[in-house]
Amino acid sequence: MTSTSKVTPNMYSETKRSKQIWLSLLCGFCLRLVIFCRAEEGLEFPNFDGKDRVLDISERNYKKALKRYDLLCLFYHEPLPANKGLQKRFQMTELVLELTAQVLENKDIGFGMVDSQKDAKVAKKLGLEEVGSLYVFKDDRVIEFDGELSADTLVEFLLDVLEDPVEMLNNAMELQAFERMEEDIRLIGYFKGEDSYYKSFQEASERFQPYIKFFATFDKSVAKHLSLKMNEVNFYEPFMEEPAILPGRPLSEMDIVEFVNQHRRATLRKLRAENMFETWEDDMDGIHIVAFAEEEDPDGYEFLEILKDVARDNTNNPELSIVWIDPDDFPLLTTYWEKTFKLDLFRPQIGVVNVTDADSVWLDMSNDEDLPTPEELEDWIEDVLSGRVNTEDDDESADDLEDPDGYVPADSYESHDPDEEDDNDD
C-alpha cells in the first residue's frame, strides 16, 4: 500500500512539512469542477445538485456498504474541528467527494466518511491507519489514493480502478499505442492463454492497479514484434528504449511483485496529479533532484530530451532518480514553486530540493543561451550524488568549496532557503 495525501495542515507531522505546504495550496483545486459554466448543450461542467450521496460510515452500515458497491471509497478523517477555517477546508473536501459521487452515480461506486474518533472500531476493522487518507475497497483489496484531492483527478483514478488490471494487446494498432506510453511503468507478458501462467501475472497486477500498467498478449505476432518468448515478462522503465527482462520462466506472482517493488523507482519519472504524493514521499535520503520543463515549449522539450539521455546513460545507477515536473500540468502550483524556489519556470530548471523544509540548490542556467549538454548535466548530478552540492551549504563560501583542482561548484549553483525569505518578510 502506498503512502497518501493529506487534506489539512494540522494532519501532518513536521517530517512532512513540504507536503503540508503543497496541500494547503491545493485546497484551491477542490472546487474546480463545482463552478457552473454556461455553455452550449453537451459542454456543461457538472454542478453539485445538493443531493447527499456520501455516507456516514459506522458499525451499523459498513458491512452493507462493502457488499453493495463494486468500489467503496472511504475518506478517513479527524473529528470536525472547532476552527472555522479548518471547518471550511473539511467542507471543501466533503464537497469534492459529493461531486465525485454525483458524476459516478451510475458506476456502482459508493462513497463514505469515517470519523477517526467516533468510528475508531470501524477504522480498525477496515485497516484504516492514516488520518486524512482516501481508501478504495475493491473485492478483497484496499487501494490508497495518493494524489491531488480534486474531483477530476479522483474521477479519473476511480475509473482506472474499475477497469481490468491487465489490458490485452491483440493487434498492431494496440501495439503502437503501447509503444507510445513512454512516461509510464509498463509490464508486458506473453502467455498461451487465460488458463496458463497468465493467472500469476494477473494476480500480481492487482497489487499495483492503477499505478503501474500491466499488459499481456496471447498473439504470436505481437510477441514476436516485442521479442517476447512464451511465459516471458518485460519491464519498461519510463523513458527507456529497451525493457528489462524479468529473470526466470515461468514466473510466480511473488516473483513479479518483488521485481516491480525493486525497480519501480525510475531514473526519470514524471510528477502526476494521481500519485503526486507517493512520488514526492519516495525521496532519496531526504532529497529530490527536481527538473522543471514544459514539454510543449521548445527549450523545455530540448531540456527534457537531455534529461532522457542522462537517464538512459545512468539507468543502472540505483542512487539516481530525477523527478520531472511539467508546470503546465500544475498551473495553480506554478507561482508557489517560483516563489518558494526563486525560479523562473518559463525556463527549464534543475535542482536539489530538501523534502522536509523545501530548502534547495539550483543549477545556474540563467546566463547561458544554450542549455547544458548531457555531459555537463551528468557532472552536476555526480556532484549532487557525492554530496558536493547539497542544500545545507547555503552559507559556505566559494573558498570553502574549492577542491584541489580548482573546481568551485558554488559558482555554478544558486541556493535558496525558503525559511530565510520568511524571516526577511517578518
Side-chain angles (χ1 to χ4, degrees):
M1 188 181 298
T2 61
S3 55
T4 186
S5 63
K6 305 292 186 185
V7 177
T8 59
N10 67 317
M11 296 180 186
Y12 293 96
S13 65
E14 283 298 319
T15 59
K16 295 184 179 180
R17 183 182 169 201
S18 62
K19 185 175 175 183
Q20 176 182 352
I21 296 171
W22 280 35
L23 280 159
S24 63
L25 183 66
L26 280 172
C27 284
F29 278 121
C30 292
L31 296 179
R32 190 160 50 181
L33 290 185
V34 180
I35 300 173
F36 180 74
C37 300
R38 295 184 63 86
E40 296 295 333
E41 187 174 351
L43 287 178
E44 291 183 355
F45 283 90
N47 182 39
F48 179 49
D49 60 10
K51 179 181 177 182
D52 291 335
R53 295 174 175 83
V54 177
L55 304 172
D56 183 11
I57 297 297
S58 65
E59 282 196 278
R60 292 185 303 172
N61 65 0
Y62 82 94
K63 290 183 179 179
K64 182 178 179 181
L66 286 170
K67 293 179 180 179
R68 178 179 176 184
Y69 300 102
D70 289 341
L71 294 183
L72 181 61
C73 184
L74 298 182
F75 178 63
Y76 184 43
H77 64 90
E78 288 184 339
L80 185 64
N83 180 280
K84 290 186 177 180
L86 296 179
Q87 285 182 10
K88 185 175 181 181
R89 289 184 179 179
F90 181 87
Q91 291 164 359
M92 290 171 67
T93 301
E94 189 174 16
L95 189 55
V96 168
L97 297 179
E98 288 288 3
L99 181 59
T100 305
Q102 176 183 322
V103 172
L104 299 176
E105 189 169 21
N106 297 323
K107 295 294 185 180
D108 202 23
I109 302 177
F111 293 82
M113 303 186 78
V114 180
D115 189 302
S116 62
Q117 181 175 308
K118 184 178 66 174
D119 304 310
K121 291 182 179 179
V122 175
K124 185 176 182 180
K125 291 178 181 179
L126 294 175
L128 311 184
E129 298 178 349
E130 198 165 359
V131 175
S133 299
L134 199 66
Y135 295 91
V136 180
F137 292 78
K138 180 181 181 181
D139 300 326
D140 58 347
R141 290 182 286 142
V142 182
I143 303 168
E144 196 168 351
F145 175 67
D146 213 10
E148 170 200 328
L149 194 57
S150 64
D152 51 352
T153 301
L154 187 53
V155 166
E156 183 178 1
F157 176 86
L158 292 173
L159 290 177
D160 285 343
V161 175
L162 276 178
E163 294 180 356
D164 291 334
V166 179
E167 186 172 343
M168 301 303 299
L169 300 183
N170 299 310
N171 54 55
M173 293 297 291
E174 293 174 349
L175 180 58
Q176 189 176 30
F178 169 82
E179 292 179 328
R180 289 179 176 175
M181 300 171 63
E182 70 166 1
E183 297 177 0
D184 300 288
I185 294 178
R186 295 160 290 152
L187 284 87
I188 173 72
Y190 175 38
F191 306 98
K192 187 175 182 180
E194 291 188 3
D195 296 326
S196 66
Y197 290 104
Y198 167 76
K199 289 184 177 180
S200 296
F201 186 76
Q202 185 180 39
E203 289 169 355
S205 71
E206 293 175 352
R207 293 176 177 245
F208 301 101
Q209 187 192 24
Y211 293 112
I212 294 178
K213 300 184 182 301
F214 280 67
F215 296 84
T217 186
F218 306 147
D219 188 278
K220 186 176 181 180
S221 62
V222 171
K224 183 178 180 180
H225 180 86
L226 295 171
S227 301
L228 275 169
K229 299 176 182 178
M230 182 62 70
N231 296 324
E232 190 172 74
V233 176
N234 282 357
F235 178 94
Y236 286 80
E237 183 181 339
F239 307 106
M240 299 299 153
E241 295 173 340
E242 298 296 329
I245 301 174
L246 272 67
R249 279 191 297 158
L251 294 160
S252 69
E253 175 187 353
M254 289 311 301
D255 290 334
I256 299 170
V257 170
E258 289 176 4
F259 186 92
V260 172
N261 284 332
Q262 290 174 7
H263 295 81
R264 66 183 301 171
R265 180 192 285 144
T267 310
L268 177 62
R269 46 187 170 163
K270 185 177 183 182
L271 192 73
R272 300 170 178 272
E274 62 267 25
N275 64 348
M276 58 191 295
F277 295 108
E278 177 192 18
T279 300
W280 196 252
E281 289 182 358
D282 182 29
D283 56 75
M284 303 288 287
D285 298 324
I287 66 166
H288 276 301
I289 298 177
V290 177
F292 289 99
E294 296 181 15
E295 190 172 15
E296 298 300 322
D297 174 75
D299 285 342
Y301 178 84
E302 181 182 353
F303 188 61
L304 181 57
E305 292 301 307
I306 294 172
L307 288 174
K308 292 178 185 178
D309 288 340
V310 171
R312 289 164 184 158
D313 288 343
N314 295 272
T315 185
N316 294 321
N317 184 351
E319 302 300 319
L320 177 60
S321 182
I322 304 170
V323 177
W324 164 42
I325 301 176
D326 190 332
D328 286 343
D329 294 339
F330 302 94
L332 295 185
L333 277 170
T334 300
T335 55
Y336 161 72
W337 283 323
E338 289 184 328
K339 180 180 179 181
T340 300
F341 301 133
K342 285 189 175 179
L343 296 176
D344 175 10
L345 294 187
F346 284 103
R347 290 179 51 84
Q349 307 284 354
I350 188 167
V352 186
V353 178
N354 186 308
V355 299
T356 58
D357 60 12
D359 194 6
S360 60
V361 180
W362 299 87
L363 178 63
D364 184 5
M365 300 187 292
S366 60
N367 297 324
D368 298 326
E369 292 184 3
D370 296 327
L371 294 170
T373 64
E375 293 76 19
E376 291 170 337
L377 197 53
E378 285 191 31
D379 288 343
W380 179 82
I381 289 173
E382 184 178 341
D383 286 340
V384 172
L385 298 181
S386 67
R388 294 176 66 187
V389 176
N390 65 76
T391 60
E392 306 303 319
D393 288 341
D394 296 10
D395 299 326
E396 293 188 31
S397 65
D399 293 336
D400 294 332
L401 292 175
E402 185 171 0
D403 70 3
D405 298 325
Y407 177 58
V408 187
D411 288 346
S412 300
Y413 314 133
E414 296 180 330
S415 64
H416 176 51
D417 184 346
D419 292 333
E420 292 181 4
E421 180 181 283
D422 293 341
D423 294 340
N424 293 334
D425 291 341
D426 293 339

